[in-house]
Amino acid sequence: MIKRLLLCAMAGFVIATTFADEGMWLPNHIKERIKEMRKMGFKLKADDIYSADKASLKDAVVQFGGGCTGEFVSEQGLLLTNHHCGYSSIQKLSSVEHDYLTNGYWAQSMVEELPVPGLTVSLLVGMEDVTERLAAGEKREDIIAEATKGEGYRASIESLYYGNQFVMYVYQTYRDVRLVGAPPSSIGKFGGDTDNWIWPRHTGDFSIFRVYAGSDNQPADYSKENVPYRPKRHFKICTDGVQEGDFTMIYGFPGNTQEYVISDAVEYVANVSNPMKIAMRTQRLETISEAQSKDVAVRIAYAAKHANIANSWKKWQGESLGLERLGTIEKKQRYEARFAAWAATKPEYSTLLDSMRAAYASNTKGYFVRELFNESVGAIEAYGIARKLRQATSATAEEQLAYRRKLLIDYNKEIDRTIARRMLAEFMARMPKESIPQVLTDEINSRDGIKEYIDSLYNNTKILGNDTLSNDELLADPMLAFEGIFDEIVKQNRAYTYRNISNVPAIEKWYTTYMQALREWDKERAFYPDANFTLRVAYGTICGYENADGEYHTHLSTLDGVIAKENPEIYDYDIPQALRDIYKNKDYGRWSIEKNGRPTVPVCFLASNHTSGGNSGSPVINGKGELVGINFDRTWRSTMSDIEFDPSICRNISVDIRYVLFIVDRLGHAQYLLDELKVK
Ligand code: ARG
Ligand code: GLU
C-alpha cells in the first residue's frame, strides 16, 4: 500500500514538472509522446495505437450515437458504452410491459438482441492532414468527395489550433445497432443527479450493444439477414484490476475544450455566461423537481429532461468554482502581460492582444444575447414545439396531428406554463433593452403583465392538445404568434452560433495568429489541439487526489459504498433487491476482491486522464492495451479542465470493468456474453 501511494505521488511529481497528464493528443501524432508514455508504463508501440495501413487500437474505438464513445470487445461486433449514452435507446425500446429502463435487459442469445431504430455507430476509417492541399487551392468539397466513395462513408475537414491546421476525418457509419444488455437504471444511474460529477461514485454506468453489417461486413439497413460486424480490432478485457500508479490511456471523442483562450474569454465564461445559465436552470429545475415530487408519472416523463438540464447546470457550477480556485483569470492575465512584453518588439504581434480584446468587447453582447435567448425563451417547450410545427406546415391536418402527438410525448403543460412565466420574466429582466422585441413589450403591457400574457397563450393555444387543426388554424394559433415574435432575434443569433465565444469568426481569426505567436514564444509548452469531437488519446495514471485540506480521496470505490448509500426511500439510491441479496450472502464469485480484510467488489476508479464531454463511454486502457474500465465522468474539482487542467486535482471517473462483468454475471446471468468476452 505504501509502495502504491509512493508510486502515485511520484507520478504526481512527474506530472507537475512535465504536465504528463494534460493533453488530448491526435492519434497519428502519438509518436511524439510515446517515449513519455512508455516511461509511465505503456508497453505497446505508437503504431499499435494508430496506423494508417494496418489494424490498430483505433479500429476498436467508435463514435456512439450523437456524442459518445464506444469500444468493440469481441470479434463479433460487441460494443461497450455508458448507460447514460445508451439511455435514450433503452428508453425507446421500453414500454409499460417491457420497462428495460427500470428492470434492465439481458439478451440471452443473438436473436434476443433488439434493433434500435435510428441508432448509428461511426468508425474512423482514416485521417489526413489536408492543410497544404487547401492552401494549394483545392476545394474542400472536392477533397471530401474523393474520400467518401465507400458504402456509408462520410468525411469532415476540421480546423485545429484555430485554423492553423486542417485534418480530414473519414468515417464509415453503421446503422444496424442492437441493444444487447443494460443494467437496471438503479445500477446504471445509481446516485442520479445527486452524485453526478462527484467522487466517491458508485454508478454502474455501462450498457452493451452489437453492430450488425451486411454479409460483406459493410454498413446495411436493419435486416434479419444481417450478421454481426467483424471489427478489425477489439479490446481484450483485463480482469486483474487497477492499482494506484498504473498507466491508463483514454481513447475517445472529447467534444469541446478551450485551453488557449485569453483572460477575456475566461472572464466571460466565469462571470457572465455561467452565472446567467446557472440561475436560469436553477429555476427550471426547481419547477420540474417540485412537479416530479408530487406525481410519479411526471417523475418518469421528465427524468431524461431533468438529467440533461441538471448535467450542464452542475458542471458549470463546478467549473466556475474551479476557475476561481485556480485563479485562472489572473494567471492568464500575467501570462498575457509576459507575452505582450515579448511581442512589443515584433511588429506582426505587437498589437495582437489589443485586437483580441477589442474583438471580445464588440462581440460579447451578441454572444450573450444568443446564450440568454437559448436558456430563456429557448427553454420554453411550447416555443420549441411551435417552431417545429411552423416548419412542418405542408403536412395534412392528420399528419400534423400525428406529428404534434409525437412532440407532446412526455410533455406537461402546467410545468411548461410555469417555466414559461419564469423564463419570460428573466428574458425581460436580463436582456439588453434594444434586443427586446417591441411587440413583446406591447403584448405584455396590453395584458397587464407577464403572468397574464403567458396564461392567455396557454389557455387559448390549441397546439398543445388533441384537436385536428387546419394549416390556417395552426398559423393563427397564439403560440405560433408568440414564436414569431422572436424571428428577428433568432436571425441575429445565427451570427453568434459557435461553440464558444472565442469561435465567433471575428474573434477566432485573431487566434489563428495568436497560436502561431504562442508557439514561437512559449517554446516549453506542449501544444495539443482543443477538443472538437475528433479522436484523441489522453494518458495518465490511476490516482487519488487531495479533495480538501487533509482529505485524500482514494482511487477505488467498492460495493460497500453502494450499500452504505443504498436507501429504498430515495429514488437515486434505491437498488435492486437482488443486489442486496448478493451483498448479504457475499455471493461475489470470481469478482471478489479483498479490502480491509473483507471481501467486496470494485465499482469505480479515478485516474488523471484529461477528458471532456464526449469521452463518455471511452475505453480505459492499461499499459498492455487491454480494457480495464469505461470512462463516464469527472470529479467536482475537475470540471474547469475544459479551460485549465490542473494535474494535481483533475481526475476522470471510470466504471471498473470488473463491476461491469459482476453485474452481467451475477445480476444478468448472461453467460453467453461472458463466453463471448472470453472471461473465464
Ligand atoms: N456527468 C456525466 C456527463 O457529463 C454523466 C451525465 C449523465 N448522468 C446524469 N446523472 N445526468 O455526461
Ligand atoms: N459524462 C461526460 C459525457 O457524457 C463525460 C464526462 C466529462 O465531461 O468529463 O461525455
Side-chain angles (χ1 to χ4, degrees):
M1 189 63 199
I2 287 172
K3 202 171 137 223
R4 268 184 234 157
L5 277 177
L6 254 177
L7 261 172
C8 177
M10 265 171 53
F13 175 71
V14 176
I15 291 153
T17 51
T18 66
F19 297 101
D21 297 327
E22 178 175 0
M24 303 171 167
W25 309 97
L26 295 184
N28 57 343
H29 281 214
I30 225 59
K31 305 184 264 315
E32 295 149 30
R33 318 294 318 167
I34 196 75
K35 250 173 98 182
E36 185 182 63
M37 291 170 75
R38 292 181 70 95
K39 254 195 253 165
M40 292 169 66
F42 189 55
K43 305 269 188 280
L44 308 183
K45 297 192 298 290
D47 69 351
D48 292 320
I49 292 176
Y50 180 92
S51 164
D53 37 53
K54 67 174 180 92
S56 60
L57 291 183
K58 86 123 185 15
D59 297 306
V61 184
V62 305
Q63 220 168 35
F64 182 88
C68 280
T69 305
E71 55 274 3
F72 287 121
V73 284
S74 89
E75 281 156 11
Q76 304 209 69
L78 198 66
L79 196 78
L80 293 181
T81 187
N82 290 144
H83 186 263
H84 79 261
C85 296
Y87 197 85
S88 61
S89 301
I90 304 165
Q91 185 174 40
K92 228 187 248 177
L93 298 172
S94 293
S95 61
V96 181
E97 306 84 67
H98 304 287
D99 188 353
Y100 305 137
L101 222 39
T102 305
N103 306 317
Y105 182 74
W106 306 103
Q108 298 294 343
S109 70
M110 279 188 195
V111 281
E112 289 184 10
E113 297 176 356
L114 307 171
V116 188
L119 178 62
T120 61
V121 153
S122 293
L123 281 63
L124 180 65
V125 179
M127 48 196 288
E128 182 193 332
D129 191 321
V130 294
T131 315
E132 279 170 25
R133 290 176 68 178
L134 288 173
E138 268 188 81
K139 284 218 193 76
R140 276 173 181 253
E141 304 81 73
D142 297 346
I143 299 178
I144 286 177
E146 181 198 315
T148 49
K149 297 217 169 99
E151 169 63 37
Y153 274 47
R154 73 185 156 84
S156 64
I157 294 177
E158 303 293 341
S159 146
L160 304 177
Y161 302 111
Y162 296 95
N164 278 291
Q165 194 185 347
F166 294 91
V167 175
M168 174 168 64
Y169 294 83
V170 182
Y171 301 94
Q172 194 173 28
T173 300
Y174 283 78
R175 47 192 192 270
D176 182 355
V177 184
R178 305 185 194 173
L179 176 67
V180 174
S185 291
S186 53
I187 288 173
K189 224 176 135 15
F190 181 81
D193 290 332
T194 317
D195 282 9
N196 194 21
W197 302 111
I198 298 284
W199 184 262
R201 189 63 155 276
H202 300 91
T203 312
D205 198 345
F206 76 95
S207 56
I208 311 175
F209 290 80
R210 192 190 303 279
V211 177
Y212 280 77
S215 53
D216 54 0
N217 213 30
Q218 296 301 306
D221 290 330
Y222 168 77
S223 152
K224 272 205 165 99
E225 316 306 316
N226 286 351
V227 292
Y229 168 72
R230 296 178 304 283
K232 284 193 204 137
R233 272 294 280 272
H234 68 273
F235 287 104
K236 200 178 151 243
I237 287 176
C238 170
T239 54
D240 297 343
V242 292
Q243 309 284 350
E244 200 143 27
D246 283 359
F247 172 89
T248 54
M249 178 181 127
I250 303 279
Y251 209 169
F253 292 89
N256 183 14
T257 63
Q258 29 181 346
E259 311 287 344
Y260 305 102
V261 292
I262 63 171
S263 52
D264 301 55
V266 186
E267 261 185 297
Y268 175 72
V269 171
N271 301 336
V272 182
S273 174
N274 281 359
M276 178 275 288
K277 293 189 291 193
I278 293 162
M280 306 296 281
R281 289 194 179 203
T282 300
Q283 300 201 31
R284 261 206 285 168
L285 289 167
E286 255 170 38
T287 304
I288 295 173
S289 298
E290 202 192 314
Q292 281 180 312
S293 69
K294 289 190 194 135
D295 183 341
V296 190
V298 172
R299 197 197 68 219
I300 295 168
Y302 272 68
K305 287 177 199 168
H306 188 284
N308 276 335
I309 301 165
N311 190 42
S312 307
W313 168 78
K314 205 167 172 185
K315 190 226 154 180
W316 293 323
Q317 294 176 58
E319 181 175 79
S320 288
L321 201 66
L323 292 170
E324 199 185 309
R325 275 184 179 139
L326 289 179
T328 304
I329 294 174
E330 297 73 28
K331 222 186 272 175
K332 293 238 177 205
Q333 282 167 347
R334 288 196 296 275
Y335 186 76
E336 286 147 27
R338 284 192 287 125
F339 171 80
W342 170 83
T345 57
K346 313 222 161 15
E348 68 275 35
Y349 302 136
S350 57
T351 56
L352 183 55
L353 274 179
D354 295 336
S355 305
M356 295 175 89
R357 300 227 147 96
Y360 279 105
S362 53
N363 286 283
T364 297
K365 201 176 90 188
Y367 200 78
F368 178 76
V369 165
R370 180 197 142 230
E371 290 204 302
L372 176 59
F373 178 78
N374 288 350
E375 291 291 328
S376 57
V377 175
I380 301 171
E381 288 181 80
Y383 169 82
I385 292 169
R387 204 168 161 69
K388 289 203 177 104
L389 290 173
R390 186 192 297 286
Q391 285 153 2
T393 44
S394 58
T396 67
E398 287 69 33
E399 277 171 356
Q400 185 229 102
L401 178 60
Y403 180 53
R404 247 166 55 217
R405 285 204 168 121
K406 252 212 266 174
L407 296 176
L408 292 170
I409 292 174
D410 291 337
Y411 175 75
N412 182 299
K413 190 170 165 181
E414 291 317 307
I415 292 181
D416 196 37
R417 182 201 297 257
T418 308
I419 287 178
R421 270 185 213 145
R422 301 181 79 167
M423 293 298 100
L424 194 62
E426 291 294 337
F427 176 94
M428 296 304 288
R430 292 173 186 260
M431 210 30 115
K433 289 285 158 286
E434 62 278 19
S435 297
I436 299 177
Q438 187 55 47
V439 204
L440 180 63
T441 310
D442 295 345
E443 288 282 356
I444 293 172
N445 290 340
S446 74
R447 291 205 166 66
D448 299 325
I450 289 171
K451 179 181 181 300
E452 291 72 12
Y453 175 46
I454 290 294
D455 279 340
S456 78
L457 295 176
Y458 281 75
N459 293 343
N460 296 316
T461 179
K462 292 222 156 55
I463 68 164
L464 304 175
N466 279 319
D467 299 340
T468 313
L469 301 175
S470 71
N471 265 341
D472 288 344
E473 285 170 313
L474 182 70
L475 289 172
D477 190 273
M479 202 57 86
L480 268 81
F482 174 70
E483 184 264 330
I485 289 177
F486 302 98
D487 274 354
E488 189 53 35
I489 202 168
V490 167
K491 217 161 82 202
Q492 281 168 13
N493 284 345
R494 286 202 192 111
Y496 295 96
T497 304
Y498 294 90
R499 226 175 333 172
N500 308 300
I501 187 170
S502 307
N503 301 110
V504 172
I507 300 178
E508 188 175 80
K509 67 172 189 199
W510 299 111
Y511 275 102
T512 314
T513 314
Y514 184 59
M515 290 309 299
Q516 295 161 6
L518 285 188
R519 278 172 184 282
E520 275 178 49
W521 170 62
D522 194 355
K523 294 221 166 59
E524 298 296 299
R525 191 166 178 176
F527 289 93
Y528 55 91
D530 275 317
N532 59 355
F533 275 117
T534 61
L535 189 61
R536 302 298 174 89
V537 172
Y539 55 92
T541 48
I542 298 286
C543 215
Y545 68 107
E546 190 177 84
N547 181 57
D549 188 39
E551 179 187 309
Y552 190 78
H553 280 185
T554 56
H555 72 280
L556 190 73
S557 66
T558 66
L559 191 61
D560 298 30
V562 176
I563 299 300
K565 283 178 182 170
E566 179 272 305
N567 183 345
E569 309 278 293
I570 303 174
Y571 179 70
D572 283 346
Y573 294 120
D574 194 12
I575 57 169
Q577 186 54 39
L579 190 57
R580 289 190 193 106
D581 295 341
I582 291 170
Y583 174 76
K584 200 164 134 234
N585 303 321
K586 301 286 171 282
D587 188 14
Y588 305 151
R590 71 193 105 166
W591 312 112
S592 184
I593 60 162
E594 199 179 286
K595 191 184 171 189
N596 303 330
R598 288 202 305 272
T600 188
V601 178
V603 176
C604 294
F605 61 78
L606 293 176
S608 59
N609 301 285
H610 191 177
T611 54
S612 188
N615 269 126
S616 275
S618 297
V620 189
I621 302 159
N622 68 10
K624 290 186 279 186
E626 301 159 342
L627 191 75
V628 291
I630 310 170
N631 182 74
F632 71 95
D633 209 0
R634 277 173 283 173
T635 61
W636 183 240
R637 297 207 54 188
S638 306
T639 42
M640 75 304 180
S641 68
D642 292 345
I643 294 174
E644 184 182 354
F645 184 90
D646 178 351
S648 69
I649 52 166
C650 285
R651 299 290 179 266
N652 61 311
I653 305 177
S654 306
V655 54
D656 194 305
I657 201 67
R658 294 170 296 174
Y659 191 55
V660 173
L661 296 168
F662 162 79
I663 296 293
V664 170
D665 178 10
R666 302 320 252 197
L667 219 89
H669 305 290
Q671 186 58 43
Y672 110 96
L673 288 179
L674 298 171
D675 292 342
E676 184 174 345
L677 292 168
K678 301 203 165 67
V679 179
K680 287 284 157 333

